[in-house]
Structures are given as structure tokens and as C-alpha cells.
Amino acid sequence: MKRAWPALCCMLLGGCVKYPEPYRPPERRQPLELREPVRLGHFTAMNSPHAPDHLVSDVLPELHDGAWRWTMQCPTFQFQLPVTRAMRLLADITVPDITFNQTGPVKITVHVSGHPLGTIEVLKPGQLQWEKDVPADWLITARPVLVRLAIDKMWTSPDDGTRRGFIITRLGFVQ
Amino acid sequence: MPKAVSILFGALFTVAVAYSLGALLLQRLRAPFRREERPLFAFAAGSALLGLVMFLLASLQVVRDGVLLIAGAATIGAAWKLGAFKPEGDRLPALPRTWAWLYWSLYGIFAVICVLHAMAPETSPDGSGYHLGVVAHYYRAHGFVKLTSNMYANLSQGVEMLFLHAWAFGRHSAAALVHCAFLLCLPMLLLRYGQRTGFPQAGAAAGLFVLLSPVMMKDGSSAYIDAALACALFALFYLCEIDAPPALAGVLAGACYAMKYTAFLALVYVMIRYALKRRWRALAVIIPVALVMILPWVARNWIWFGNPFSPLMNAWFPNPYVHVSFEQDYAAEMRNYAGLTSYWQLPMELTVGGGVLGGLLGPLFLLSPLALLALRSGAGRRTLAAGLLFALPFGLNVGTRFLIPALPFVSFALAAGLPSITLPALVAAHALLSFPDIPQRYCAPYTWRIAEIPFRAALRMESEESWLSWKLPQYRTARMIEQATGPGAVVFSFTPISDSYTSREIMVGFQSARGELIRDFILTAFMPDYQPVNQLEFTFLRQSIKAVRVVHTAASGPADSRDILSIGEFRLSSRGLPVEPSPDWRLEARPNPWDVQLAFDNNPLTRWRSWEWLRPGMYVRADFGHALTLDTVRLETSLDQYSARLRVDGQAETGEWKTLATEPVSTGLPPPLGLRRAAMEEIRRRGVTHILVHEGDTGWEDFRQKAGLWGIREAGAVDGVRLYRID
């Protein structure tokens, strides 16, 4: 009993812990932007059910590992923007070992609405996330905005001549 | 010069009131002290009592200058009238003349240095920050005020109560001078102990070893608490050694806890000492008396924060004020200082370096292992045993000043163990190597120490404003806040500032659950990993269930994962149609039930978080009040929880729980837009009016470049620090 009393004290004290009663659901906020699943949005992940609506050309339809797609040389995407101010383009891409070992370092030029935004320089294989501010006057809300990524060197399979550009996981506009 | 007078008055009046209370207590207890010991124990015990009195006054919200003045004067008057100041007791054996000369001249010189440093405007980080920041809040409120934005206010504050008394009359420097009184009392306690136990030279040397230690001088002459604690601990040890009245030991043992939580070891120590001697009747006095000193702090925290030991032990006493994860992270950080790559660095860093661990003990303490020579005597063994016990908290925080409580014991053991012929040379060398600013020749740059003797600043011959503006950049920040905001402003800051120099409430991100939540809202607004960009969809056979819960199962990642579980939105559906929450539902989560609504508010900015490192069994649950037909649970989550593994359980109408789904389909969601303004609206709703951003804080450039998106406007700026008003 003498040895148990410190633990007993803590248990007694702990037994006096008051958890709150379960809560009612709160007032539901109206978010600043529409959160219902729209077909064409400002951003897409390749594993989103609405991703195909954002693909214009040069993106292969098959989804790998439930997360990414292969591109060809000049994949083009479209996005519908609710606003144009203070937007950044974010691209989550991968240049895997298998293609890098053949092509070496690659450059991917990025165009938004036909304007050159910048170049992604891939100096080593792997995943990278690239972001850049987009001038507001390049963007419009009235119709979809086109984003084109063009890789300078493609990989060619030595077995069957299949060609691939790079891997895309996520792409779109963020603030 | 008048400011210097008020500083001295504030400090001396506080010391005098403490001394008077102690003298009355000693008189009542008929404590058999020697003549030289009595004043020291009167001060030590009286400080404990004054702390308790101030606690009562603060609880009653009557801390006003007039009340303190009248009560203090009455106490001093009563002590004088009752003859409590009359010198009593036999004299201790005299110190050898050479030693008397050496001791008192060095003591005098360094005492003056410390007093001048204490009198100079307060620039210490913790002193000018939370120690006196909380005191200033209490003073303005005339007593305790429940501060939910600063977990330091939840600590036991026995020394801060003395600071509060001094603050009323002399503000920052008066408080620092009160702490300095403990610094100056401790070497005299060591001297008297040496004289009492037949080791006069060792006592004198030990006293100087302690006083002249650079970290001791700096800490003891700032508004910290470590020197006060060391003094109280040694006084307690002294009482045990001379078999003083048990009630006195109880007062000091309890006071040690009241000064600092980790000093509960003082009560453990005294209980062990008396239990070994089977002094049960003495223990029957000591324990209740100690509890009188301890329980007020325990009760306050229990009533206010639901945790008697707040801000610690939050896993044992869950509450909405301090997160468990904060305590987990804090404990891990305090054992690992930046620059400390191996514990083998400790001996040199603690004694000579000082840059990594925040101060140095002095090169003399490289000889600390020789303190083991004191094991040859019973007194030496007891001294070392006490020192070892009081050094245990150093394992929790390896900063140099956390060894201060053990310093008097190591010093005495070292001085008693070495041949006495060596002591004068060691003292002289220690004095030379510690005199400001000789240490700059061997310690790391910017080491925390007294680097100059601030004569003009101490006497206010130089403007306090200009001194502080020069010495303390955070002072300029605090003054900028004071000028740019109105009364009642609540300023969120990512980084602590010297908030004792502003009357506004400063909510630092990491210092409270409230602050951490606000910080999370802000970071989520612009950090993609924190945003709800991942949807986990659990589908199961359509069925009637009356409750559903999402449970984290054993982590597939490392067992020591520090991920925190979070859910942005918890959505239910049946045949593709959403099932909206109704007022009949009841929501619950473990841990952190207080934030469960954030997972059901349809707000992409907010999320429920466990605020505790991942462990199996964490859950969020919704009870519907009646059976609903469901086939899908969708969770919108962030990416910053790689080790989280979830399953969905449902409760049948029979009450039985069963697993409905374990393997969700993961899809990406677009990062929400407009989060910056949403974050500012959310924190405005929670009472924050301004944000303070230092250059180098996460996202500082984002605030500057996208103020319009945030909905904030610059209200002030100084030294790369910007204050923004939330529109």
C-alpha cells in the first residue's frame, strides 16, 4: 500500500479530469471559393476523378500507382480560374532514373497562355516541386487558361522504341 | 536619479518585509540559530512567507501600491515592536583573519558589480520576457489574471510573487535586485555553514566559488529565479544538517516547489532525510507545512487550467490550454541545444565555453571531479548526495543555469575535499578569471555573462530608454507595439519578445494551445503541406449505423513518429449524396476533444488535430442520435502526417462497433484559394488584432508581398520586424 500510494494519487487526480461533453456540429462556413467538385478547376492532381478534364494533349491517360501519369514531349493542360490576382503555377513532376540515365539533365519550359513563364532545370533524377508567380494580365477567368510544359529531350525505350517525356503528379494554380 | 531611488526602495522594502516576516517566524519557533545565521534564515524563510502572502493578495485582486505599503510597513513595525530584530544566539567560530580579509573584500567587490548589474535596466531574455511580463500583467490587473496565451503563467511563481511586490515600487530593476538579494545571501549561508560545521575556510571558499561563477553572477543579478532556488535549497540542506525546527524545513521545502516545479525534489530530500532518522513526528509537521506552500499553486492551476501541474503533465491531465505535443517537443528540444553534437562537449561548454549552453560556470569548475574527495567525511557525503539530487533536473534541460541549484553543494564539497592551503589561490584565480570581462578572452563570443559594469545605467545617469534601445532590440519592438496599437490589442507573434515592456497581450505561437491553433491557421494559409489537398475515401456496404468513428491504427512508419494526426473535413454520404451534419449529432475526439468541431465546419482552413504524437487509438467520432444509412466516409486531410493509418468503424443499432473499411482510396484535391484572408478572419474572430512578423519567421516575405491578399495593413516597423493590423 505504501508503494502504491503515489500511483493512487495520480489515478485519483487523473480521475478528476473533466473531458467536455460531446459537441454539436458547428455552424457550417461558406468557404471563399467553391468547394463543390467542379469538372474544370484551378488545379488538379492526376489521381483526381476530374483530372482528365484538365488534359488537353500529350498526356497519357493511364494512371500509375494511383497517383501519376506519363507525358509526351509537350503536355498541355487547361484550367478554369475564379480569380487572376496573385496566382502561382505549381508543378509536381518527376524525372525518374530510367529516363534520366539516358537523357541526362533536361529542361522543361513552361508557358502560360502562350507566355513563357520559366524553365524547370532538372539536374538530377527524382521528384521536384516547381512554383512561379504568374502575372495577372496573362490570366483570364472568362475561359480556360492553357498551360504547356515542353521537355527538351525525350526518353526512347531501347526495347520497343516507346517514347516518354516526364512524370506529372500535380499541376495548377495556387495563391 | 529619482528612478534609482525608487528601484532601491522597491527592492529594499521587499527584502525588509520578507526579513521581518522571517524574523517573526523564527522568534515564534524559537529557532536555535547562531547570531550570524539568524538574519540569513529570516530572509530565506520570510521570502517564502511573503510569496504566500502575495499569492493571497493576488487571489483577492488587492495588489495595489497602498495595500503593499501599509501591509509591509505594518509587518516591519510589528517585527520591530516584538523584538524580532534583536540579535540572538551565540556567535559562530571566527573566520581566520586572512580569510576574513579575502572573503569580505572579494565578496564586497563582486557584490557591488552584481548590484549595479541588477539595477541596470533589465535586458535578460527570460527576465524581460515572461518572468516580468506576467508580473506586469498581474500588477495591472491588481492580482492574478487567467492568461491562456502564455503557458509560463501556469508555472509556480513563488519568486515572481516577490517580483510583483518589488515591481509595484521599482519595476524591472527592483525585481532583479530582489533576486540579487538571494544571490548575495547564498555565499553567506555557505560561509556560516562552514563555520558551523568546522570547515570555515571551506565555507568561505565555497561561498566565493558560487558568487564569482559567471553564470551565477549574471543569472542572480537578472530577473530570473535560479539563484533564489539555489539559496532556498542550500538553506533547506543547512536546516536539515543542524536539526532546525521541522516547521521551518517544511516552509522552505514547500517554497522550493513554489519557486520551480522541478524543486519538488526538495520535499523528497527532506522526507528521505527525516525518514532515515525515523523522525516521524517531525515529518508529520514538515509535510503539512510544505503542502501549505505548495497547494495554492496546485489548486490555482487545477481550477483554472484543469491541470494541477500545468503546463506540464498534459498527457495525464488533458486540457485545452497546453497541447501534449508542445510538451513532447519541448522536452526533446531542452535536451538538445543547437551546437551540442555530443554530451562529451558538456564539461568544456559548461565551464569554459558557455556559448552553446547559455553561460559558463567558470574554469574553476573543471576541478569539480575533485569534489569526490569530500566523500571521505560524512558531511561531505551528505553534501554531495544533496547536490546530486538537486542536479537531476539538468537531465531534462542541459542549459548551464540548470546546474545552479547543485552549485553550492559541489562548491562546498570541492572546497572541503581539497587541501585548505590551495583554497586562497583557487579563489584568487577564480576571481581573476571571472571579473568582467576577463571571460571574453576564453569563452565563446556572446556568451551570457556580465560583460561590463553598468554604473551610469544603474544609477539612471544615462536614460533608461536609450540604454534599452541600444542593448535590447526587443525593447524597440515592444515600444513600437505599444505606440502602434491601442489598449486591449492582442498581438500574435511567432517569436517571443520582451513583453514586460508593453502593456499589450502578446500571444506567442508556441506558448499556448490557443497560440498554436492561431499559428496553424496562419501557416495553413500558405504552406501546401498543411492544406486539405488529399482526400481519403472509405467505402463500405450501405448499412444503417448510429455512429461512425475514424481511428488511427498502429503506425506503419517509425515507432517514434512525431506526426500529428489531423482531419480537415469529415464528410459522410450515401449513394453519392452528402449527408449533412444535423443538430442531433454529437461529436467527440480523443485526444483533443475541444477542437473536434473544426473537422465539421466546412472550412478548408481549419482542421482538428490530435496535438499529440501519433499513437494507436486516436479517433474522431460522430454520433447521429438515431440510425443513418451510409456507405461512404470521406476525409479531407493534409499531407503532413505520413505515418497516419486510418480505419472507419461503425456502430450498429445494437450498440456493437465493427470495422467498416480499412483501405481508403486516396485522391488529390486542389489547394483551396483565398486561405490567407480566411486565416485573418478566423484569428480576428478569436480575438487577435495584430500580427508581428520578424524577418526570418516562416512566411515573412509572404506577409510583406501579399498584404492585400491577407487583408492586413502595416501598422509599424522597426529593425526588420513588422506589425500588421488585421483589417
Side-chain angles (χ1 to χ4, degrees):
Chain A
M1 184 60 191
K2 279 184 189 169
R3 269 175 269 161
W5 75 261
L8 202 60
C9 282
C10 282
M11 281 167 59
L12 280 170
L13 289 170
C16 299
V17 168
K18 290 287 263 183
Y19 278 117
E21 291 295 313
Y23 291 89
R24 289 173 191 266
E27 178 194 328
R28 308 268 283 171
R29 299 277 161 75
Q30 287 302 319
L32 291 178
E33 58 123 34
L34 203 59
R35 284 291 284 175
E36 286 85 12
V38 293
R39 296 186 68 88
L40 198 62
H42 62 276
F43 189 98
T44 191
M46 289 301 113
N47 62 9
S48 163
H50 301 291
D53 298 306
H54 297 80
L55 311 180
V56 174
S57 63
D58 261 15
V59 182
L60 297 175
E62 189 185 349
L63 186 69
H64 298 269
D65 297 332
W68 55 268
R69 288 185 161 92
W70 278 111
T71 74
M72 300 299 280
Q73 184 148 31
C74 295
T76 304
F77 304 82
Q78 62 176 355
F79 299 96
Q80 183 66 52
L81 302 182
V83 295
T84 59
R85 208 180 107 201
M87 296 300 246
R88 265 186 358 262
L89 185 73
L90 185 153
D92 212 328
I93 66 169
T94 304
V95 175
D97 288 324
I98 187 170
T99 65
F100 190 91
N101 288 342
Q102 185 186 93
T103 63
V106 295
K107 288 184 186 173
I108 302 171
T109 53
V110 182
H111 283 72
V112 174
S113 300
H115 301 279
L117 181 64
T119 303
I120 308 171
E121 295 206 11
V122 184
L123 302 174
K124 56 182 183 180
Q127 184 179 7
L128 71 96
Q129 191 170 37
W130 184 88
E131 292 179 45
K132 190 149 187 190
D133 289 346
V134 180
D137 56 359
W138 291 6
L139 305 173
I140 47 175
T141 58
R143 56 180 183 278
V145 170
L146 293 180
V147 176
R148 181 166 64 94
L149 287 76
I151 191 166
D152 61 346
K153 286 174 275 186
M154 289 188 71
W155 171 78
T156 305
S157 167
D159 297 329
D160 59 7
T162 303
R163 303 189 79 205
R164 293 286 183 267
F166 56 93
I167 286 169
I168 183 94
T169 308
R170 303 189 305 159
L171 178 70
F173 293 87
V174 297
Q175 278 187 322
Chain B
M1 191 83 112
K3 175 81 186 202
V5 172
S6 65
I7 290 167
L8 282 169
F9 174 77
L12 291 173
F13 184 57
T14 303
V15 170
V17 174
Y19 177 77
S20 304
L21 282 170
L24 286 168
L25 179 66
L26 297 192
Q27 189 184 53
R28 184 84 172 88
L29 293 177
R30 298 179 210 273
F33 289 117
R34 304 295 175 85
R35 186 175 290 221
E36 297 90 342
E37 292 171 335
R38 183 171 285 272
L40 304 175
F41 285 99
F43 171 66
S47 297
L49 295 179
L50 180 57
L52 187 62
V53 168
M54 288 301 294
F55 182 100
L56 288 171
L57 294 179
S59 300
L60 295 171
Q61 304 274 306
V62 294
V63 175
R64 294 174 186 272
D65 297 3
V67 170
L68 299 181
L69 212 49
I70 293 169
T75 304
I76 296 170
W80 175 74
K81 192 93 166 91
L82 293 170
F85 296 149
K86 240 185 284 183
E88 275 179 28
D90 300 331
R91 287 201 173 275
L92 287 166
L95 200 55
R97 190 185 289 262
T98 319
W99 265 104
W101 182 90
L102 181 65
Y103 180 89
W104 290 112
S105 52
L106 284 175
Y107 181 94
I109 291 167
F110 281 86
V112 166
I113 292 171
C114 292
V115 166
L116 286 173
H117 185 266
M119 279 188 69
E122 183 69 24
T123 57
S124 67
D126 293 359
S128 68
Y130 68 86
H131 282 301
L132 295 180
V134 172
V135 165
H137 272 295
Y138 292 164
Y139 179 72
R140 283 190 294 272
H142 306 298
F144 286 131
V145 57
K146 185 178 173 184
L147 286 171
T148 59
S149 57
N150 188 344
M151 55 96 183
Y152 292 112
N154 307 2
L155 293 165
S156 58
Q157 297 173 306
V159 182
E160 285 85 345
M161 291 296 98
L162 304 178
F163 291 169
L164 180 58
H165 191 280
W167 177 277
F169 307 103
R171 300 295 186 265
H172 302 71
S173 299
L177 264 178
V178 167
H179 193 221
C180 194
F182 287 95
L183 171 65
L184 300 179
C185 177
L186 178 55
M188 287 200 278
L189 276 171
L190 281 156
L191 169 65
R192 301 312 180 197
Y193 180 68
Q195 289 175 290
R196 171 75 99 120
T197 55
F199 295 96
Q201 294 160 340
L208 292 173
F209 289 173
V210 168
L211 176 63
L212 275 51
S213 168
V215 72
M216 194 66 173
M217 282 198 284
K218 180 68 175 181
D219 186 297
S221 59
S222 303
Y224 277 56
I225 63 171
D226 306 287
L229 179 60
C231 181
L233 286 171
F234 190 79
L236 177 65
F237 167 80
Y238 197 148
L239 290 175
C240 293
E241 289 287 298
I242 63 173
D243 206 17
L248 207 49
V251 165
L252 276 175
C256 288
Y257 177 90
M259 289 179 179
K260 193 164 189 171
Y261 281 168
T262 51
F264 78 95
L265 291 171
L267 184 58
V268 170
Y269 171 77
V270 81
M271 285 169 65
I272 291 173
R273 285 256 347 207
Y274 279 80
L276 285 174
K277 289 190 280 196
R278 301 187 187 282
R279 297 276 307 274
W280 310 119
R281 290 177 76 166
L283 270 179
V285 172
I286 289 172
I287 293 173
V289 170
L291 287 176
V292 167
M293 308 297 296
I294 292 171
L295 287 179
W297 298 104
V298 172
R300 183 195 73 157
N301 281 351
W302 207 345
I303 293 167
W304 269 359
F305 304 112
N307 177 359
F309 308 108
S310 185
L312 305 178
M313 299 188 71
N314 297 288
W316 287 78
F317 301 96
N319 62 88
Y321 301 104
V322 182
H323 291 141
V324 174
S325 56
F326 159 76
E327 196 180 340
Q328 291 169 319
D329 290 336
Y330 195 72
E333 268 173 41
M334 291 301 106
R335 286 192 288 271
N336 295 286
Y337 279 51
L340 188 71
T341 52
S342 161
Y343 287 135
W344 288 110
Q345 289 172 258
L346 283 176
M348 291 303 286
E349 271 303 319
L350 287 168
T351 54
V352 177
V356 172
L357 301 177
L360 68 157
L361 298 169
L364 170 84
F365 289 95
L366 285 166
L367 300 175
S368 296
L370 295 178
L372 294 172
L373 292 171
L375 289 172
R376 294 173 294 183
S377 72
R381 287 191 289 275
R382 290 193 301 275
T383 307
L384 281 172
L388 185 64
L389 181 68
F390 299 138
L392 287 178
F394 181 71
L396 301 174
N397 189 328
V398 297
T400 307
R401 65 186 179 88
F402 295 92
L403 273 179
I404 287 176
L407 202 62
F409 303 93
V410 172
S411 297
F412 189 86
L414 181 62
L418 291 171
S420 55
I421 199 164
T422 62
L423 297 178
L426 287 174
V427 164
H430 190 40
L432 183 64
L433 290 170
S434 302
F435 192 89
D437 189 18
I438 300 296
Q440 69 155 333
R441 294 170 197 228
Y442 58 82
C443 72
Y446 310 115
T447 294
W448 198 53
R449 66 190 190 278
I450 296 181
E452 59 184 331
I453 302 170
F455 180 78
R456 289 177 58 81
L459 298 179
R460 300 306 189 271
M461 293 161 72
E462 179 179 341
S463 144
E464 183 172 294
E465 178 87 20
S466 65
W467 165 268
L468 285 167
S469 297
W470 169 52
K471 281 282 199 186
L472 188 65
Q474 288 187 15
Y475 174 80
R476 298 195 289 272
T477 303
R479 298 316 297 163
M480 181 268 290
I481 290 172
E482 193 74 10
Q483 282 149 20
T485 63
V490 177
V491 180
F492 174 86
S493 173
F494 293 95
T495 317
I497 67 164
S498 296
D499 51 344
S500 66
Y501 289 112
T502 173
S503 65
R504 313 305 186 223
E505 183 180 344
I506 308 296
M507 184 191 300
V508 179
F510 71 87
Q511 285 184 359
S512 64
R514 202 172 142 215
E516 287 195 296
L517 195 62
I518 301 285
R519 184 177 64 182
D520 196 56
F521 293 154
I522 295 173
L523 295 181
T524 298
F526 65 92
M527 291 185 68
D529 272 7
Y530 286 27
Q531 295 170 0
V533 293
N534 188 39
Q535 179 179 268
L536 298 174
E537 185 177 272
F538 296 83
T539 54
F540 43 88
L541 218 58
R542 192 160 172 272
Q543 56 197 277
S544 185
I545 46 180
K546 62 177 194 173
V548 71
R549 67 186 180 202
V550 168
V551 185
H552 167 64
T553 60
S556 66
D560 61 347
S561 167
R562 294 184 183 182
D563 285 353
I564 291 178
L565 184 63
S566 68
I567 296 174
E569 282 307 308
F570 190 127
R571 302 190 191 278
L572 305 171
S573 62
S574 176
R575 289 192 171 137
L577 294 174
V579 176
E580 298 292 338
S582 93
D584 299 335
W585 291 18
R586 291 295 178 266
L587 312 173
E588 189 181 79
R590 294 285 187 275
N592 190 26
W594 300 276
D595 287 347
V596 68
Q597 291 177 314
L598 298 180
F600 293 87
D601 61 0
N602 202 37
N603 186 341
L605 179 78
T606 64
R607 52 181 176 166
W608 169 83
R609 302 190 80 190
S610 62
W611 290 111
E612 187 181 326
W613 297 348
L614 274 178
R615 56 174 169 79
M618 292 180 167
Y619 70 86
V620 172
R621 167 178 164 168
D623 285 61
F624 311 128
H626 54 273
L628 288 180
T629 308
L630 299 171
D631 58 22
T632 307
V633 170
R634 280 195 196 88
L635 304 178
E636 293 175 9
T637 66
S638 51
L639 296 175
D640 58 345
Q641 44 186 339
Y642 303 102
S643 300
R645 292 296 178 269
L646 304 173
R647 72 165 196 264
V648 168
D649 297 342
Q651 188 181 36
E653 291 186 70
T654 56
E656 185 193 331
W657 284 94
K658 62 177 182 179
T659 297
L660 300 177
T662 58
E663 296 291 335
V665 171
S666 172
T667 54
L669 295 173
L673 300 178
L675 286 183
R676 287 174 178 77
R677 189 170 286 272
M680 291 300 106
E681 286 182 3
E682 189 66 36
I683 71 174
R684 194 77 170 92
R685 223 187 320 266
R686 289 165 189 269
V688 175
T689 58
H690 294 77
I691 305 222
L692 188 74
V693 183
H694 291 72
E695 230 169 82
D697 282 343
T698 306
W700 69 275
E701 283 176 318
D702 200 279
F703 286 104
R704 196 166 54 88
Q705 292 166 358
K706 299 179 182 176
L709 271 189
W710 286 98
I712 58 179
R713 207 182 292 263
E714 189 173 300
V718 68
D719 301 328
V721 182
R722 284 182 160 78
L723 178 71
Y724 297 99
R725 191 184 72 241
I726 302 172
D727 284 338

